[in-house]
C-alpha cells in the first residue's frame, strides 16, 4: 500500500493529509461521511482549509490501514503519476539550484567588496 505524504498514527487516532478535499467543503463533508460510516469510528473531522482528516476510532475494531484503503477506494489519496512527480522534482531542483547560485554570487560580491577595503 502506498503511504500518504503526511500520516500520523497513534492507537485509535489517525491524522492524514487528504489533498483532494483541500479548499472544498463539499469534499471534506463527503470524506467525513464516508469515514463515519465505518464500524468502529468514534469521530471523523475533515478540515477543508488544511486538507487534514482526523479520525478517532476503536483500534480493536478498525485499523488505520482500513481507513486509508477506504479513502483510496473513494478516490481520495490518489498517488501522483510518475510524470507529475518528475515535474515537481524538476521544479524543486531548479528552485534549489537558483537559490544556491544566488547565495554563491552574493558571497563572492561580499568578498570582493571586503578585498577592496
Amino acid at each position: 500500500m502506498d503511504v500518504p505524504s503526511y500520516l500520523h498514527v497513534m492507537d485509535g487516532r489517525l491524522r492524514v493529509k487528504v489533498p483532494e478535499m483541500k479548499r472544498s467543503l463539499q469534499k471534506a463533508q463527503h470524506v467525513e461521511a464516508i469515514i463515519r460510516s465505518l464500524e468502529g469510528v468514534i469521530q471523523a473531522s475533515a478540515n477543508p482549509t488544511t486538507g487534514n482528516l482526523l479520525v478517532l476510532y476503536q483500534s480493536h475494531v478498525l485499523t488505520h490501514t482500513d481507513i486509508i484503503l477506504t479513502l483510496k477506494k473513494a478516490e481520495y489519496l490518489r498517488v501522483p503519476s510518475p510524470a507529475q512527480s518528475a515535474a515537481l522534482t524538476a521544479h524543486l531542483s531548479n528552485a534549489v539550484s537558483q537559490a544556491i547560485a544566488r547565495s554563491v554570487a552574493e558571497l563572492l560580491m561580499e568578498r570582493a567588496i571586503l578585498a577592496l577595503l
Side-chain angles (χ1 to χ4, degrees):
M1 176 177 73
D2 293 315
V3 178
S5 61
Y6 175 80
L7 177 70
H8 185 257
V9 180
M10 292 173 43
D11 188 39
R13 184 177 189 276
L14 167 71
R15 181 180 301 275
V16 63
K17 182 75 71 178
V18 183
E20 295 85 355
M21 71 177 192
K22 193 168 183 173
R23 293 184 292 281
S24 174
L25 179 60
Q26 182 180 2
K27 287 183 181 180
Q29 290 172 336
H30 184 238
V31 166
E32 283 181 356
I34 290 169
I35 299 305
R36 285 182 181 149
S37 72
L38 296 173
E39 183 181 347
V41 170
I42 300 166
Q43 179 183 349
S45 176
N47 185 327
T49 303
T50 62
N52 285 334
L53 171 67
L54 175 63
V55 183
L56 304 179
Y57 60 96
Q58 298 170 332
S59 58
H60 63 280
V61 176
L62 189 66
T63 69
H64 71 279
T65 303
D66 297 327
I67 297 167
I68 291 169
L69 288 174
T70 299
L71 290 168
K72 287 186 176 194
K73 285 179 187 174
E75 298 189 9
Y76 292 99
L77 297 181
R78 284 179 254 135
V79 177
S81 70
Q84 290 172 319
S85 295
L88 178 59
T89 300
H91 174 73
L92 291 175
S93 176
N94 187 35
V96 168
S97 297
Q98 287 179 358
I100 290 171
R102 197 169 23 254
S103 294
V104 168
E106 288 174 4
L107 179 64
L108 290 173
M109 287 175 51
E110 183 180 307
R111 287 191 179 182
I113 291 170
L114 287 174
L116 291 173
L117 298 177

